[in-house]
Amino acid sequence: MVACPVLILTQSSILALLAIAVDRYLRVKIPLRYKTVVTPRRAVVAIVGCWILSFVVGLTPMFGWNNLSAVERAWLANGSVGEPVIKCQFEKVISMEYMVYFNFFVWVLPPLLLMVLIYLEVFYLIRKQLNKKVSASSGDPQKYYGKELKIAKSLALILFLFALSWLPLHILNCITLFCPSCHKPRLLMYIAIFLTHGNSAMNPIVYAFRIQKFRVTFLKIWNDHFRCQPAPPIDEDPPEERPDD
């Protein structure tokens, strides 16, 4: 139970990034119908679905896919009696088969590859719109897609930082499973673990500095709940920034 929360939170981060990527794709693919497709109710359903799925994936070791049987066999092989003594360390209790075959190969790597494909398609659609020859009186689409391009670049940066932070640890897990005799420097393992923790610290900074709406929202939360001073309202997209037909 101590080892599972990090799995839940990691999975929720991945699914949230995937949901955001799909949202940005819809913003540039169907801009005129976006608000009728992505309603607040559907957004709430997507968020709740991501968290439910994250709990299912993260708590799977609690349902039996863990190292308990291996610990019991080793306990009996040593001639010990009674209940086995279990060290509450991640690699001692969490199965590497689960971490590699189920967590990495099913719930980490495919979503990351899917997000890469989605953002490539987003950049292609935006560039396609920006390269269109438009008259001087129809600059609104240019402004809209230019703004979307800036947001997409920021989110792609967040995706890159996430992959850079988490892939080293998963690669080391693969080495542990497929090459048990291979030596893994302890320092290298510590660096990989530090990167995963550092990613959680990097995300708010990147969001705040790269995306204006996140920055304004963070300031609003800070002023409303910590300084008890109402912040100015968040500006929505003005009508002139919306794309034409």
Side-chain angles (χ1 to χ4, degrees), residues 131-195:
N131 290 335
K132 283 184 177 179
K133 292 183 179 180
V134 294
S135 63
S137 61
S138 58
D140 290 350
Q142 296 289 87
K143 191 173 183 180
Y144 175 86
Y145 286 107
K147 182 178 180 181
E148 287 300 316
L149 178 61
K150 183 178 179 181
I151 294 175
K153 286 181 177 179
S154 299
L155 295 172
L157 173 62
I158 292 170
L159 173 62
F160 171 76
L161 291 175
F162 184 90
L164 186 67
S165 300
W166 280 96
L167 285 179
L169 185 61
H170 283 288
I171 292 172
L172 289 176
N173 288 338
C174 292
I175 294 174
T176 300
L177 178 64
F178 298 126
C179 184
S181 60
C182 294
H183 174 66
K184 294 185 303 180
R186 186 172 295 272
L187 178 61
L188 191 61
M189 179 63 73
Y190 286 155
I191 292 175
I193 294 174
F194 177 79
L195 283 174

Side-chain angles (χ1 to χ4, degrees), residues 221-234:
I221 293 172
W222 174 260
N223 288 325
D224 288 352
H225 299 285
F226 294 95
R227 297 181 61 193
C228 298
Q229 295 179 359
I234 301 174

Side-chain angles (χ1 to χ4, degrees), residues 76-93:
L76 294 175
N78 290 333
S80 304
V81 295
E83 291 293 327
V85 176
I86 302 174
K87 291 184 179 180
C88 192
Q89 297 175 350
F90 191 88
E91 288 193 10
K92 296 289 185 182
V93 297

